Amino acid sequence: MLWQQAREGHAAAFGVLFERHASRIYNYCFRRTGDWALAEDLTSATFLLAWRSHRRAPLQAESALPLLYGVATNVLRNQRRSLRRGNEAFARLPPERAEEADFADAASTRLDDRALMRQLLRLVARLPRREQDAIALCDWSGLSYEDAALALGVPIGTVRSRLARGRARLRELASGSGPEADVDVVPLRVEVTEQ
Amino acid sequence: MSIRLTPPPERDLPTGRLQLRKEQLVSQIYGSVAPSRHHARRILVVAAALAITGILAAAAYAGYALTRSATPVATIGCYESDTLDANTAVLATGVDSPVAACTRAYASAFPSAQQPKHFVACMLPSGSVGVFPSDTMSDTCKSLGLANRPQSPATSR
């Protein structure tokens, strides 16, 4: 309903849609990049590109979330192009003000998150891209198989098999006994260098 | 090697940032809607103009079609002899005078037959015109059980 209203030109409906789903897309983008600031830009890019590319089509699901995850997955795959296409909408906003309450604590927490996420991403980057997508959508973002299938545009069975393979490989890699040479590595396009 | 396989917990986009991002996006999207609406309006105007042009063209053609002189005969049957079972040559449409057309075509259509002196046009049961060789000129149609074609006096060669 909100998506329909947003398509019909109701800016307020789009605003509600953004408020409702931005946080989940933001976290999804962070978990794929390990970068909070980049995740914020990519969240904007996701909403803008979703609106641009799907404003003429009705949703395939009741919620816009599978669509947004699908667009976000493509945005993550083509970060540079997506950000360029977003023009000024993706320009970084000014940093948060230091005097905001709990700023230092929040910043510290986010730094910890980033370190943890980047460590995990180094491992996940050894999986094929398709398995990375399945793990990020189902295990990290809590999407159902059905919604993940909608997001990726593949059958549900494909999501299940990719997820099973990805989980198994990830466990092998994490235990240090994985046959790394057998893994078709398609790394995420993220900057994983430590500060 | 021991690596935690679960990502850190989800964090909210800070409220202030959420609002800023939302306003920026809404401005970007719906700020550009205005030109799109103008564009849509232009498309509507062009479509309306094309529709009006199409209607005028259709009306003009309809007027022409209704007022142009009707083609009197579509096809005619040119018979080799004065029976309905005779060999028949079907002649093309748009012929003003079926008898004249049959007279002209007879020799090439039926080369083994002798060119009749007279022809007469009758109305066939199908509504088409049939042209028959005629010696009596007046009774051929009647003898075949057909009506004479209106305004088609038999002509001599």
Side-chain angles (χ1 to χ4, degrees):
Chain A
M1 178 63 88
L2 280 173
W3 184 258
Q4 176 66 24
Q5 290 175 339
R7 282 174 55 205
E8 290 169 357
H10 298 287
F14 186 87
V16 173
L17 203 65
F18 183 78
E19 286 175 357
R20 186 172 293 177
H21 299 309
S23 189
R24 293 196 65 177
I25 299 302
Y26 172 58
N27 279 280
Y28 176 66
C29 291
F30 169 71
R31 288 170 173 181
R32 303 301 303 265
T33 62
D35 184 328
W36 286 113
L38 180 58
E40 199 178 309
D41 286 344
L42 293 172
T43 301
S44 288
T46 296
F47 277 82
L48 184 60
L49 294 181
W51 187 83
R52 280 183 178 169
S53 52
H54 295 274
R55 62 183 159 167
R56 292 186 183 87
L59 289 179
Q60 290 183 309
E62 285 187 11
S63 167
L65 210 48
L67 164 72
L68 291 168
Y69 273 111
V71 173
T73 303
N74 288 330
V75 164
L76 284 156
R77 196 170 294 146
N78 307 292
Q79 284 178 36
R80 288 180 188 168
R81 194 176 61 188
S82 300
L83 292 173
R84 194 171 58 244
R85 286 171 66 191
N87 300 324
E88 68 270 22
F90 308 146
R92 295 272 172 85
L93 294 176
E96 291 175 273
R97 289 181 302 166
E99 60 270 27
E100 286 181 1
D102 300 328
F103 177 81
D105 287 347
S108 170
T109 304
R110 283 170 186 261
L111 281 174
D112 291 344
D113 289 346
R114 193 179 70 170
L116 179 62
M117 197 66 233
R118 290 186 175 194
Q119 188 183 40
L120 179 53
L121 282 173
R122 278 195 209 97
L123 195 67
V124 171
R126 293 175 176 173
L127 301 180
R129 179 83 203 195
R130 293 169 172 180
E131 292 172 14
Q132 294 178 30
D133 290 342
I135 286 175
L137 289 171
C138 295
D139 286 351
W140 296 353
S141 303
L143 256 66
S144 65
Y145 294 136
E146 189 178 9
D147 283 350
L150 275 175
L152 296 174
V154 298
I156 294 176
T158 304
V159 173
R160 286 178 191 272
S161 58
R162 287 179 187 174
L163 192 59
R165 278 199 304 270
R167 283 171 177 167
R169 284 183 180 172
L170 200 56
R171 276 195 296 271
E172 286 178 3
L173 290 169
S175 67
S177 61
E180 295 181 15
D182 291 341
V183 178
D184 181 18
V185 178
V186 183
L188 290 165
R189 291 184 188 176
V190 294
E191 300 166 10
V192 288
T193 53
E194 295 292 338
Q195 266 191 336
Chain B
M1 183 167 74
S2 175
I3 295 178
R4 186 179 157 189
L5 292 178
T6 50
E10 291 197 343
R11 312 284 179 202
D12 283 337
L13 197 59
T15 308
R17 308 289 290 175
L18 184 74
Q19 283 302 319
L20 279 174
R21 286 285 177 179
K22 186 181 82 173
E23 288 165 11
Q24 200 178 30
L25 265 174
V26 167
S27 166
Q28 171 94 357
I29 290 173
Y30 293 94
S32 64
V33 163
S36 296
R37 284 181 177 161
H38 288 310
H39 181 64
R41 205 170 294 144
R42 275 198 300 275
I43 289 173
L44 277 177
V45 169
V46 170
L50 286 174
I52 290 169
T53 305
I55 290 168
L56 289 176
Y61 177 77
Y64 162 74
L66 289 172
T67 56
R68 69 180 173 182
S69 58
T71 303
V73 177
T75 55
I76 62 168
C78 186
Y79 286 76
E80 184 178 8
S81 60
D82 56 353
T83 69
L84 286 168
D85 298 329
N87 294 329
T88 311
V90 178
L91 303 185
T93 61
V95 185
D96 287 332
S97 169
V99 169
C102 190
T103 304
R104 281 196 301 274
Y106 191 93
S108 57
F110 311 111
S112 58
Q114 189 176 4
Q115 179 80 17
K117 290 183 179 177
H118 307 286
F119 290 89
V120 64
C122 309
M123 293 304 298
L124 299 172
S126 64
S128 302
V129 174
V131 180
F132 298 88
S134 173
D135 292 330
T136 58
M137 290 185 61
S138 55
D139 295 336
T140 303
C141 292
K142 191 176 178 182
S143 65
L144 292 169
L146 304 174
N148 282 316
R149 179 174 179 260
Q151 300 175 340
S152 62
T155 57
S156 62
R157 188 177 168 224

